[in-house]
Amino acid sequence: MFLAEKYQEILKEIAPCKLIAVSKTKPIADLLQAYEAGCRDFGENKVQEMLTKQPALPQDIRWHLIGHLQSNKVKYIAPFVHLIHSVDSLKLLQEINKHAQKHNRVIDCLLQIHIAQEETKFGLDFAETETLLQSEQLNLLKNVKIIGLMGMASLTDNQEQIKAEFAGLKRFFDDCKEKHQTENICFSELSMGMSGDYTIAIQEGSTMVRIGSLLFGERN
Ligand SMILES: *Cc1c(COP(=O)(O)O)cnc(C)c1O
């Protein structure tokens, strides 16, 4: 079930930051409720699930891939995906570029940065990101555009820790924005904040929050 009142409340609270409704594991009926409440940005973490939902829902929805993307799956989402939040290698960017070209599109991407303490999360560190942004090969990719960064804070109750991680990512974002501006790099979006930590993320400069359980209820 989609909580329309909660949605309106969060929208007001976070404006002008954008809200991505994370609909993973939720049935089409729930997404339709969200759509009817005005939501147009949906986030899914699995390619297969996005592919099942996309044709069944209105075509003006903007689909955000927020989970790890394998190179061999890029071709399936290339025709329609709006923004890929989870890019973490040049190889993946090259693959996205190749398929975007086939569809005559430029696909917007965020680089996923590892800011949490947990080892398990995907993403680049700051040094790897610098290297990627400076690479000559990136310059050759005309069908992808890097428009910012995405990060997930540690899974902790320690608010100071979360705040410090988001603040660090914001500083790095500002730094990249100043240093890197080319035809296919233009920093404008900072995707950070989920149900448990979006308030802190907003305070620290997020432009896009990805909220699931607070809008759709807990996942099984
Ligand atoms: C599931 C997920 C979210 C949303 O999580 P909630 O805690 O349900 O808001 C946000 N970002 C990513 C990358 C996710 O996988």
Side-chain angles (χ1 to χ4, degrees), residues 22 24 45 66 150 152 194-196 210-213 219:
V22 176
K24 62 190 186 193
N45 69 335
I66 61 173
M150 184 271 256
M152 276 188 276
M194 320 193 342
S195 292
R210 310 175 310 274
I211 298 185
S213 44
R219 288 176 298 273

Side-chain angles (χ1 to χ4, degrees), residues 25 54 67 87 91 100 105 149 168 171 180 214:
T25 78
Q54 189 267 343
V87 173
K91 180 175 156 270
R105 306 185 60 206
L149 305 176
R171 274 195 304 274
H180 303 283
L214 213 53

Side-chain angles (χ1 to χ4, degrees), residues 104-163:
N104 234 325
R105 306 185 60 206
V106 175
I107 297 181
D108 288 344
C109 297
L110 303 178
L111 298 178
Q112 183 174 351
I113 313 301
H114 184 274
I115 54 170
Q117 286 173 317
E118 294 98 45
E119 287 291 334
T120 52
K121 291 195 175 140
F122 294 101
L124 302 159
D125 64 28
F126 292 166
E128 289 166 336
T129 307
E130 278 291 345
T131 305
L132 175 51
L133 290 171
Q134 283 167 20
S135 104
E136 288 292 332
Q137 283 137 299
L138 176 58
N139 248 317
L140 304 173
L141 308 179
K142 302 300 177 203
N143 294 78
V144 291
K145 190 165 184 190
I146 296 177
I147 64 164
L149 305 176
M150 184 271 256
M152 276 188 276
S154 296
L155 289 167
T156 173
D157 290 329
N158 184 342
Q159 310 285 295
E160 288 306 313
Q161 166 85 26
I162 294 169
K163 186 176 155 76

Side-chain angles (χ1 to χ4, degrees), residues 6-164:
K6 191 77 200 165
Y7 173 68
Q8 296 302 339
E9 196 182 298
I10 296 173
L11 269 188
K12 254 188 234 161
E13 183 186 347
I14 68 171
C17 178
K18 294 184 261 296
L19 173 57
I20 315 302
V22 176
S23 48
K24 62 190 186 193
T25 78
K26 299 296 175 183
I28 300 279
D30 290 14
L31 280 77
L32 263 180
Q33 285 183 337
Y35 182 87
E36 277 154 21
C39 182
R40 294 295 178 272
D41 291 275
F42 290 85
E44 291 284 338
N45 69 335
K46 293 206 172 85
V47 167
Q48 189 49 56
E49 196 174 339
M50 188 183 275
L51 289 177
T52 309
K53 289 173 175 173
Q54 189 267 343
L57 283 154
Q59 294 303 298
D60 60 340
I61 286 176
R62 295 180 288 267
W63 291 96
H64 298 250
L65 189 81
I66 61 173
H68 183 67
L69 176 59
Q70 287 172 281
S71 291
N72 62 356
K73 300 215 169 136
V74 172
K75 58 175 176 284
Y76 302 116
I77 59 169
F80 66 88
V81 71
H82 177 69
L83 177 61
I84 302 174
H85 292 233
S86 46
V87 173
D88 59 2
S89 71
L90 180 62
K91 180 175 156 270
L92 183 56
L93 277 169
Q94 287 167 329
E95 195 66 16
I96 297 167
N97 186 73
K98 184 173 98 185
H99 292 285
Q101 200 168 17
K102 286 182 187 162
H103 295 281
N104 234 325
R105 306 185 60 206
V106 175
I107 297 181
D108 288 344
C109 297
L110 303 178
L111 298 178
Q112 183 174 351
I113 313 301
H114 184 274
I115 54 170
Q117 286 173 317
E118 294 98 45
E119 287 291 334
T120 52
K121 291 195 175 140
F122 294 101
L124 302 159
D125 64 28
F126 292 166
E128 289 166 336
T129 307
E130 278 291 345
T131 305
L132 175 51
L133 290 171
Q134 283 167 20
S135 104
E136 288 292 332
Q137 283 137 299
L138 176 58
N139 248 317
L140 304 173
L141 308 179
K142 302 300 177 203
N143 294 78
V144 291
K145 190 165 184 190
I146 296 177
I147 64 164
L149 305 176
M150 184 271 256
M152 276 188 276
S154 296
L155 289 167
T156 173
D157 290 329
N158 184 342
Q159 310 285 295
E160 288 306 313
Q161 166 85 26
I162 294 169
K163 186 176 155 76

